[in-house]
Amino acid sequence: MSKGIALSVSASALFAVMYYYTSLLTPLTGLEIFGWRMLLTMPCMTAFMLIAREWKLVSDLVARLVATPRLLLGAMASSALMGAQLWLFMWAPLNGYSLDVSLGYFLLPLSMVLTGRIVYGERLSRLQKVAVFFATLGVLNELYQVGGFSWATLLVVVGYPIYFILRKRLRTDNLGGLWLDMTLMLPLALWFVQSGEQGFGVFDQYPWLSLLIPILGVISASALVSYIVASRLLPFSLFGLLSYVEPVLLLGVALLLGESIKAEEWLTYIPIWMAVAVLVFEGFKHLVRQRRRT
């Protein structure tokens, strides 16, 4: 368990480092950085699946695609939804949307709770209802102050639940499905890199990027592998609790990049943070209860 906790926290820290790292890759655009990340991460992910003997998930999925060609349309939609999130993660720090994206990740647990209630008929516990109440206060303040959330926040809050629902219905909610999603992005990633101002000749014009870009791939692959391994070593409830580390770190990165929380926005953030604290408390109680049973 201690190894799993260390890997989960490391994954969150690496994702936060990557969030900041994009600001060092000038003059690359968010699209180019996204393209490089995909091109460099996929070989590492493929190697991990082969070493971990998970490749059967891919071969089984490919067999399903051959037997049911229309499944490819669903897989392409799933890939597009995931691609949008990965692109936003690379684009936001370069364009002043870091704070909006971190807010989206704070709201995501609540969004997932409500998705479970609306789509799957899951019941909300008493503490989850309290969390939803606090989050609603934050949402209402944001609606009152600016009329709504930014598109970047909404893309995280709405996009991820739709993505997870689609993967569940396609029965691709495993490592093989993630590999397929990322593989389908490769042509677009290649085009983003090639159509950039410098294209693949960027190393000739900016030699230091020949070191920085491969490091981006190492950070991305290390974060992904650490996250996957941690998910297998930890009880689901504890793994879920540790997922709250990432938005906290992303908020720190946003502030480090020069963004700030305005006075009127504190009434949005504080209730949402209280909602997250309630969910963390509930998860901790569930974890303690589980350990007592074992």
Side-chain angles (χ1 to χ4, degrees), residues 2-218:
S2 59
K3 183 179 178 181
I5 292 172
L7 284 170
S8 179
V9 173
S10 296
S12 294
L14 286 168
F15 281 125
V17 167
M18 184 165 53
Y19 203 50
Y20 177 79
Y21 194 80
T22 57
S23 65
L24 306 178
L25 298 178
T26 52
L28 297 181
T29 65
L31 288 177
E32 290 175 284
I33 295 172
F34 164 75
W36 279 112
R37 180 187 176 186
M38 291 299 97
L39 294 179
L40 293 170
T41 301
M42 276 307 299
C44 299
M45 184 176 178
T46 301
F48 170 77
M49 292 189 68
L50 290 170
I51 294 170
R53 298 180 181 178
E54 299 281 1
W55 195 250
K56 190 176 185 301
L57 293 172
V58 174
S59 56
D60 289 347
L61 187 51
V62 170
R64 285 181 57 207
L65 287 172
V66 172
T68 315
R70 68 175 181 274
L71 181 62
L72 181 60
L73 293 176
M76 291 174 67
S78 174
S79 179
L81 288 168
M82 173 52 74
Q85 299 295 341
L86 297 180
W87 162 78
L88 179 63
F89 197 85
M90 297 286 92
W91 179 88
L94 301 176
N95 294 275
Y97 280 86
S98 301
L99 213 52
D100 294 326
V101 170
S102 69
L103 179 59
Y105 279 96
F106 273 116
L107 280 169
L108 184 56
L110 278 302
S111 175
M112 295 297 288
V113 167
L114 292 176
T115 299
R117 177 71 183 94
I118 295 169
V119 178
Y120 301 109
E122 298 174 357
R123 286 192 163 196
L124 299 183
S125 67
R126 186 178 302 173
L127 285 175
Q128 285 175 338
K129 290 178 181 177
V130 172
V132 169
F133 170 75
F134 281 130
T136 301
L137 293 180
V139 169
L140 290 175
N141 179 71
E142 193 70 7
L143 291 174
Y144 173 74
Q145 295 291 344
V146 297
F149 290 97
S150 78
W151 64 267
T153 300
L154 291 175
L155 182 57
V156 174
V157 174
V158 178
Y160 266 120
I162 294 174
Y163 171 70
F164 290 129
I165 290 170
L166 180 59
R167 286 189 67 186
K168 195 175 184 67
R169 291 190 176 176
L170 294 173
R171 291 185 293 116
T172 59
D173 49 341
N174 55 46
L175 198 54
L178 178 61
W179 183 91
L180 179 63
D181 285 343
M182 297 182 72
T183 298
L184 291 174
M185 294 178 212
L186 288 180
L188 193 59
L190 182 64
W191 184 75
F192 284 153
V193 171
Q194 196 168 15
S195 63
E197 188 176 340
Q198 294 82 25
F200 284 96
V202 68
F203 303 120
D204 298 328
Q205 194 169 354
Y206 305 97
W208 65 87
L209 290 178
S210 61
L211 175 64
L212 295 182
I213 288 177
I215 291 176
L216 172 68
V218 172

